[in-house]
Amino acid sequence: MKITFYGHASLGITIADIHIIVDPFISANPKAASIDITTLEADYILLTHAHQDHILDVEAIAKRTNAVIVSNAEIATYYSKKGLQSHPMNHGGSWNFEFGNLKFVNAIHSSSFPDGTYGGNPGGFVIEGERKNIYIAGDTALTMDMKLIPMRTKLDLAVLPIGNNFTMDVEDSIIASDFLECDKILGYHYDTFGYIEINKEQSIKQFFDKGKDLMLLNIGESIEL
């Protein structure tokens, strides 16, 4: 399983020969200028919620690649009405896709499209694929529901927001990693704009002091599990 950071909360995930993009907000992010969305491969696009900084490039990528958009029922319906392929889900549900099992889990946030259309309830994803399991939290506050995830799935990696203001901060993310029983963390949703700027060195040390590994990738950088 290969995971690539495209900036903000955007990820590319490759499982075997299946390409997944999570929350594509790339073309309008000046920090991600090195990423050309016309070159990205996508079989699936996973969307945690409908805010513009998570769905901006969905249509451009899906129209070119014919990717299946996977999200809550409201977001899936929104894109289906535009003629795009979608797979609707809701909290607690899971589905066996060709890349593995995908579960839609709770997140505490808000969700609406830039045009004001209701975007359903926000969520996160647990992916069990290629003998590796990851949790993508999406935009969320710290929630006790995170304790439910390791009851079903032993995680190899948790992708957590750390930028504060709109989501968890570093301290809450450390608590989240305890709830998740996962000490390997990929941080995201930070530094894109002023409200969510962090001290990266200090953040890494805060996790390290708790016996945990916080990875902060450069845009375009990848890790393999």
Side-chain angles (χ1 to χ4, degrees):
M1 183 184 295
K2 180 179 179 181
I3 303 170
T4 304
F5 182 52
Y6 292 140
H8 194 52
S10 303
L11 304 169
I13 302 172
T14 303
I15 301 175
D17 58 350
I18 305 299
H19 299 278
I20 302 164
I21 295 179
V22 181
D23 287 355
F25 172 76
I26 302 167
S27 63
N29 180 2
K31 295 180 182 293
S34 61
I35 307 297
D36 181 359
I37 66 168
T38 66
T39 66
L40 298 180
E41 296 181 83
D43 299 295
Y44 295 91
I45 300 173
L46 309 185
L47 301 178
T48 62
H49 63 293
H51 288 163
Q52 185 179 42
D53 62 329
H54 293 255
I55 57 96
L56 180 71
D57 297 315
V58 170
E59 292 186 46
I61 294 171
K63 287 177 180 176
R64 178 177 57 82
T65 63
N66 205 32
V68 177
I69 298 164
V70 183
S71 191
N72 67 39
E74 289 80 6
I75 292 175
T77 299
Y78 179 90
Y79 286 112
S80 290
K81 289 179 178 178
K82 292 176 175 285
L84 301 173
Q85 292 192 85
S86 70
H87 180 106
M89 299 191 74
N90 219 320
H91 296 101
S94 61
W95 191 262
N96 287 317
F97 291 94
E98 55 189 321
F99 57 82
N101 184 267
L102 181 72
K103 186 170 187 176
F104 191 67
V105 296
N106 193 35
I108 299 178
H109 197 60
S110 55
S111 180
S112 59
F113 286 92
D115 63 7
T117 301
Y118 174 55
N121 291 316
F125 295 99
V126 176
I127 301 175
E128 298 180 353
E130 208 176 41
R131 300 178 300 282
K132 298 293 182 179
N133 304 323
I134 68 171
Y135 166 54
I136 302 167
D139 284 11
T140 188
L142 178 65
T143 168
M144 295 293 284
D145 285 351
M146 293 172 179
K147 287 191 170 187
L148 299 173
I149 292 173
M151 292 181 181
R152 288 282 299 268
T153 304
K154 180 174 174 53
L155 296 173
D156 297 288
L157 178 73
V159 183
L160 303 179
I162 58 173
N164 204 4
N165 195 73
F166 299 110
T167 68
M168 296 187 291
D169 62 5
V170 168
E171 291 183 3
D172 278 355
S173 294
I174 291 171
I175 297 171
S177 70
D178 289 336
F179 288 178
L180 296 161
E181 301 177 14
C182 182
D183 293 335
K184 190 169 187 177
I185 307 301
L186 175 61
Y188 76 167
H189 206 277
Y190 68 92
D191 275 5
T192 314
F193 38 80
Y195 285 122
I196 59 173
E197 290 179 352
I198 66 168
N199 183 318
K200 290 189 283 189
E201 292 76 17
Q202 180 181 333
S203 300
I204 292 169
K205 184 178 185 303
Q206 285 177 262
F207 272 84
F208 180 80
D209 288 345
K210 296 294 185 179
K212 302 171 187 293
D213 179 18
L214 173 66
M215 294 174 287
L216 301 179
L217 300 180
N218 295 319
I219 293 175
E221 189 176 1
S222 302
I223 59 171
E224 296 205 25
L225 298 179

